[in-house]
Amino acid sequence: MSENIIEVSHLHKQFGDNVILDDLSLSVNKGEVVVLIGPSGCGKSTLLRCLNGLEPIQGGTVSLHGEPVEFGKSGLTKIRQKIGMVFQNYDLFTHMTVIDNISLAPLKVQKRSKAEVHDEALALLERVGLKERANSFPAELSGGQKQRVAIVRSLIIHPDIILLDEITAALDPEMVHEVLNVVLDLAKSGTTMMIVTHEMAFAEAAADRIIFIDGGSIVEEGEPHEFFHNPKTERAKRFLKTFTYSD
């Protein structure tokens, strides 16, 4: 039986009177890659922020290995060490070098040794093709390079799951593939991930399961090839027709 990493039960999230997530339930198992797709504003990115305790919720529960993830609660910092997060705008510290950006959390939060962290940071940078940029500053990097650094920064804390929120949205088209190839490599290596993306071909290639969200609710979910080539709901069929990817 697969080990459950994240469990979401009857999640309700709203901003004022605007309901963003409505009675949403899902789970992610160890080693699974779940890709969330849906129209802009349907609640995908908000869901990721709720999973990491970055947003308060108005109903339901989110848990990591059975432990509640709750906005503003004591112990949240410890839980977040098990949840990597990669945002679309990198969020690198501009005054710090690449290797210092990567090393900050394991040194300051996890209290690991400087030598250990330095060696692992270099190894991870080499894995994504950026070892030679270890001492560069973010301003000296392309958007694709910055995003690869952000991915390494999430990996070095040894998270149980990585959440990736539209990580190619801010990139020029020619830089998209270099970032997606890194994520595909992670997927093949068994890294547990939940990914929000509008890159449909990538979603089919990377995912073990597709979850289609609209209006804050799960409309359809299933195996990638089946979803993209034989969607069951009319809403999913209409959505896929907006992409040249779809037949």
Side-chain angles (χ1 to χ4, degrees):
M1 184 175 180
S2 298
E3 177 186 350
N4 184 275
I5 302 292
I6 287 276
E7 183 77 36
V8 179
S9 181
H10 303 291
L11 179 62
H12 181 83
K13 168 67 182 175
Q14 62 187 74
F15 294 111
D17 294 330
N18 188 21
V19 175
I20 308 299
L21 299 170
D22 186 18
D23 195 31
L24 188 147
S25 297
L26 60 83
S27 61
V28 181
N29 294 322
K30 184 176 182 179
E32 188 178 24
V33 178
V34 175
V35 176
L36 306 176
I37 65 171
S40 296
C42 71
K44 305 182 300 295
S45 294
T46 299
L47 173 58
L48 291 194
R49 292 178 63 84
C50 292
L51 297 186
N52 206 19
L54 293 172
E55 292 283 350
I57 61 176
Q58 284 71 52
T61 59
V62 176
S63 61
L64 176 77
H65 295 301
E67 187 174 358
V69 180
E70 299 176 294
F71 174 84
K73 297 291 185 178
S74 61
L76 184 57
T77 298
K78 185 176 180 181
I79 290 175
R80 282 188 181 146
Q81 292 180 44
K82 302 175 184 177
I83 306 175
M85 185 89 183
V86 184
F87 300 92
Q88 61 179 267
N89 292 318
Y90 331 124
D91 287 340
L92 301 177
F93 292 108
T94 58
H95 65 288
M96 298 172 65
T97 64
V98 164
I99 198 162
D100 287 340
N101 264 283
I102 294 167
S103 302
L104 184 62
L107 289 176
K108 300 297 184 182
V109 180
Q110 296 179 325
K111 307 299 182 183
R112 290 159 57 189
S113 77
K114 187 173 183 179
E116 174 205 346
V117 170
H118 183 269
D119 289 348
E120 184 176 3
L122 289 179
L124 287 170
L125 284 170
E126 185 171 27
R127 180 176 178 181
V128 301
L130 289 175
K131 186 177 180 180
E132 75 283 357
R133 306 310 298 267
N135 294 312
S136 299
F137 287 90
E140 301 173 292
L141 306 179
S142 69
Q145 290 171 330
K146 291 176 186 176
Q147 197 58 285
R148 282 183 279 162
V149 171
I151 291 171
V152 167
R153 184 181 57 185
S154 72
L155 287 171
I156 201 168
I157 64 171
H158 303 160
D160 293 335
I161 185 171
I162 300 178
L163 311 176
L164 301 105
D165 185 17
E166 291 284 13
I167 60 171
T168 61
L171 301 181
D172 293 332
E174 64 268 23
M175 296 177 184
V176 169
H177 288 293
E178 66 185 53
V179 173
L180 296 185
N181 284 340
V182 170
V183 180
L184 281 170
D185 177 65
L186 294 176
K188 291 174 183 176
S189 69
T191 303
T192 309
M193 293 183 283
M194 179 172 278
I195 304 169
V196 169
T197 186
H198 281 106
E199 301 283 344
M200 296 297 107
F202 163 72
E204 181 174 2
D208 296 305
R209 179 160 46 107
I210 298 290
I211 295 180
F212 175 58
I213 298 177
D214 189 31
S217 299
I218 295 175
V219 176
E220 185 172 342
E221 65 178 297
E223 184 271 332
H225 183 82
E226 183 71 12
F227 175 83
F228 284 110
H229 299 281
N230 188 30
K232 299 296 189 295
T233 61
E234 288 302 317
R235 181 65 188 96
K237 291 176 183 177
R238 293 199 308 274
F239 175 78
L240 291 173
K241 283 181 180 178
T242 65
F243 294 89
T244 55
Y245 169 92
S246 182
D247 292 333

